[in-house]
Amino acid sequence: MRRTFLTTRRADTGKFPNSPLQPPRSAKALRALLLTTLVLGLPSTAAISGEPTGLATERTDLIPKDKARVEKIVKPTTDFSKPEQFERMQGGAGTSEKRVNQDAFSHSSANITFEEEGTFKLGNGMFRKLWVSSPSSTQASDGLGPLFNARACQSCHLKDGRGHPPEGNSDATSMFLRLARTAESTEERAAIADRKVLNFPDPTYGGQFQDLAVPGLKGEGRMVISYQQFPVQLSDAKTALRWPIYSVTDLGYGPMDPNTTLSPRVTPPMIGLGLVEQIHPADILANADPDDRDGDGISGKPSIVRDHKSGELTLGRFGWKASAPSIRQQSADAFAGDIGISTPDVPKHWGDCTEAQAACREMPNGVQERLGPSEAPDPIMDLVTFYSQNLAVPARRDIDNPQVLRGKQMFYEAGCASCHMPKFVTRRDAPNKAQKFQLIWPYSDFLLHDMGDELGDGQQVGDATGNEWRTPPLWGIGLTKTVNGHTFFLHDGRARNLSEAILWHGGEGQKSRDRFAALPAQDRDALIKFLESL
């Protein structure tokens, strides 16, 4: 079995009691660092100095007594007769217990201060801010594009929830295509191996296909999706999945490189990101087993990336391929790629426009000298980051329902919890008290897994191959219909419901998928009922 970590908290407050840190590293930890060097292929100096780079393999934020308590509470349950302690509060003390409706993903963490609540509201305003093209009389809002996919963060992250593929007359605002080609030279392969780049964009269309443009400029074209039927046999019936085929048309800047791959992505939910950010890297790395040494068929591996600012190696944990190490970096990349707005972290005033798109680069930008050298200066980035860090996870529902408990047992027995790991305890030394030492239930190991050819996109992103994806957290998944009005799942929304999402699992998820398909209908329904309670 893969290693897990665990913890507890005080029943009267829902928080974990404070205790001093214990920084000295044990001989076991040093051996673990050496293992990291060998298994992950990191330079030895980076591994040995792992803690400042976010690659520590030992939790130095906990004293031994607390570490033992953590390991005990995070241990996977074997009792499915009743809910586990604190299971309802899946976002720790910050869990939102407000009424379940369309705004269920848009509430602030319940444990932030009154002053922080004001900061959260300002961040919400920046998240919803509609950017306009330059020049404009609204000088604090111009700089859009010149090529872009959306005018605001909220346009993609609808109600802070899950995006969807264009269906019927709906647009493609919450879904886009990543563009990349395979490394073609020794130098390019070395750059990826050294993690200087994640991959190489299309020479003309860049790293993201952008269908919108400011006045006077052409968009890059249109995404086209067609579907084929993919038959599946269940224990008691046959069904069919829809297999999407992607292409582009109406190209505005000439042909695309023939080696460029198209990777469709729907926007993921925003809830709980600040808690994910404060999971100690040791707890994620502890579950990595890239060579499947325990023989369980699960070969999760971490995504190791470079921090934009420091250049240090660190753990990627955000995005469909775990390519971003922090919420701020993920936000800065989205500002540049999705909206075409420069930030201090990614100072690209022209967004994703390439040198081959000369007309785009010649368009005016929105930099205001009095505000600094970027279109979205540090105050905006700070607010958007804080907002994204403090979107609360909704409380669980129906946790003591017999069908939900039966479904939870099926979830474990099918092996789903091997990758969708239920519990973590966040760092005691988290910079914000709201995320500090919280028992959380994200149902993810935040590692990369080979999900098979059918889900593969053929596109390498750093350490992730074309078939590898980060395990997406499941918390809040049962409220997708309530918040976003649809039930499209997986990275490209091909699954039309939770059952189809499971049936698309291949590769390392194949055994669990087959076990699900072989279940009697009532047990499959129970497992889905459990997922809907998250």
Side-chain angles (χ1 to χ4, degrees):
M1 293 295 293
R2 302 157 75 212
R3 294 170 56 201
T4 56
F5 284 79
L6 320 146
T7 190
T8 125
R9 73 185 180 209
R10 286 209 327 237
D12 56 336
T13 64
K15 299 180 181 179
F16 295 95
N18 294 323
S19 68
L21 305 181
Q22 181 168 308
R25 179 178 289 138
S26 65
K28 178 181 177 183
L30 292 174
R31 288 195 299 272
L33 286 176
L34 178 59
L35 178 63
T36 301
T37 305
L38 298 174
V39 173
L40 304 183
L42 300 176
S44 59
T45 54
I48 292 174
S49 62
E51 293 196 39
T53 65
L55 295 176
T57 54
E58 185 77 6
R59 283 199 69 161
T60 55
D61 62 317
L62 302 177
I63 61 173
K65 180 181 178 181
D66 281 344
K67 189 178 296 185
R69 292 170 56 220
V70 166
E71 291 176 352
K72 181 179 179 181
I73 200 169
V74 182
K75 187 176 181 180
T77 186
T78 57
D79 181 3
F80 303 100
S81 64
K82 62 183 184 299
E84 296 175 70
Q85 192 174 21
F86 311 120
E87 188 171 8
R88 180 174 174 273
M89 303 294 284
Q90 57 183 346
T95 300
S96 171
E97 298 187 79
K98 294 187 177 181
R99 180 180 299 176
V100 172
N101 56 27
Q102 196 176 18
D103 295 321
F105 291 169
S106 299
H107 301 304
S108 61
S109 300
N111 58 344
I112 62 175
T113 66
F114 180 79
E115 181 180 3
E116 288 174 330
E117 184 68 33
T119 304
F120 178 86
K121 286 182 168 62
L122 289 172
N124 186 20
M126 293 298 101
F127 199 77
R128 294 171 175 270
K129 179 187 181 78
L130 290 172
W131 295 85
V132 297
S133 58
S134 301
S136 170
S137 59
T138 56
Q139 292 185 358
S141 298
D142 63 344
L144 176 68
L147 295 169
F148 61 97
N149 292 104
R151 292 181 56 197
C153 305
Q154 185 74 213
S155 299
C156 291
H157 296 279
L158 307 167
K159 303 294 289 183
D160 304 298
R162 189 181 305 272
H164 59 82
E167 298 284 325
N169 296 323
S170 65
D171 60 30
T173 303
S174 61
M175 181 178 183
F176 54 82
L177 295 172
R178 293 275 194 217
L179 309 178
R181 60 173 177 80
T182 305
E184 296 173 350
S185 66
T186 301
E187 291 76 13
E188 288 184 344
R189 287 188 285 273
I192 292 179
D194 194 35
R195 299 174 172 86
K196 293 179 179 178
V197 298
L198 295 172
N199 52 28
F200 294 92
D202 183 86
T204 299
Y205 291 90
Q208 191 161 308
F209 193 65
Q210 296 168 319
D211 57 344
L212 302 175
V214 299
L217 197 67
K218 293 186 296 185
E220 292 185 327
R222 288 191 305 112
M223 171 176 59
V224 178
I225 312 174
S226 60
Y227 293 99
Q228 293 181 351
Q229 293 297 299
F230 185 65
V232 171
Q233 179 67 55
L234 301 175
S235 63
D236 53 354
K238 286 186 177 181
T239 187
L241 309 179
R242 59 175 193 173
W243 190 322
I245 301 170
Y246 298 94
S247 60
V248 292
T249 188
D250 300 335
L251 293 176
Y253 298 87
M256 196 173 283
D257 188 293
N259 294 318
T260 293
T261 54
L262 309 177
S263 180
R265 312 285 177 86
V266 297
T267 50
M270 299 285 294
I271 57 173
L273 297 184
L275 294 166
V276 173
E277 195 169 41
Q278 295 308 320
I279 297 173
H280 199 286
D283 286 359
I284 295 176
L285 292 172
N287 296 300
D289 186 15
D291 297 321
D292 191 20
R293 296 190 177 191
D294 61 6
D296 66 352
I298 308 298
S299 308
K301 74 180 187 185
S303 170
I304 308 300
V305 298
R306 288 197 182 274
D307 181 88
H308 275 189
K309 287 189 171 181
S310 69
E312 291 184 335
L313 292 173
T314 188
L315 183 66
R317 58 182 82 193
F318 298 105
W320 285 106
K321 300 242 181 185
S323 56
S326 68
I327 295 170
R328 185 181 176 103
Q329 185 163 317
Q330 178 86 336
S331 299
D333 288 340
F335 264 118
D338 300 349
I339 312 177
I341 296 294
S342 61
T343 64
D345 303 68
V346 184
K348 295 181 178 180
H349 308 318
W350 57 85
D352 193 44
C353 296
T354 68
E355 293 182 3
Q357 296 168 322
C360 178
R361 293 215 175 196
E362 291 170 0
M363 301 291 285
N365 62 60
V367 174
Q368 307 296 326
E369 186 175 345
R370 62 188 174 84
L371 299 177
S374 61
E375 294 163 326
D378 277 320
I380 290 179
M381 282 299 299
D382 293 342
L383 288 170
V384 169
T385 300
F386 185 84
Y387 175 75
S388 302
Q389 288 171 331
N390 287 283
L391 282 162
V393 179
R396 283 276 308 277
R397 300 152 313 284
D398 302 322
I399 59 172
D400 56 355
N401 180 295
Q403 188 182 22
V404 169
L405 291 170
R406 176 63 177 171
K408 180 180 177 181
Q409 182 176 357
M410 296 299 97
F411 182 86
Y412 276 69
E413 290 182 357
C416 305
S418 295
C419 298
H420 290 284
M421 298 188 64
K423 295 170 278 185
F424 287 91
V425 172
T426 60
R427 303 177 69 121
R428 188 184 279 286
D429 57 357
N432 189 319
K433 192 175 181 179
Q435 285 92 40
K436 185 179 295 185
F437 209 38
Q438 299 293 313
L439 172 63
I440 62 173
W441 306 68
Y443 284 89
S444 172
D445 60 8
F446 303 99
L447 297 172
L448 298 170
H449 294 275
D450 185 332
M451 297 304 295
D453 293 338
E454 286 79 11
L455 284 181
D457 62 359
Q459 190 172 110
Q460 178 180 9
V461 181
D463 288 335
T465 67
N467 282 8
E468 289 178 329
W469 302 90
R470 181 200 71 156
T471 307
L474 298 181
W475 52 12
I477 198 167
L479 293 177
T480 302
K481 177 72 171 178
T482 300
V483 173
N484 295 120
H486 68 79
T487 54
F488 296 116
F489 299 106
L490 300 179
H491 67 280
D492 58 358
R494 70 176 66 186
R496 292 165 290 192
N497 51 57
L498 290 169
S499 179
E500 287 192 2
I502 297 171
L503 293 171
W504 271 113
H505 282 49
E508 296 173 47
Q510 185 72 43
K511 288 183 180 179
S512 294
R513 174 249 178 247
D514 291 347
R515 289 168 184 156
F516 172 77
L519 288 173
Q522 62 184 24
D523 284 343
R524 291 199 308 271
D525 292 343
L527 194 155
I528 298 302
K529 186 74 172 178
F530 164 67
L531 294 177
E532 290 174 344
S533 77
L534 296 180

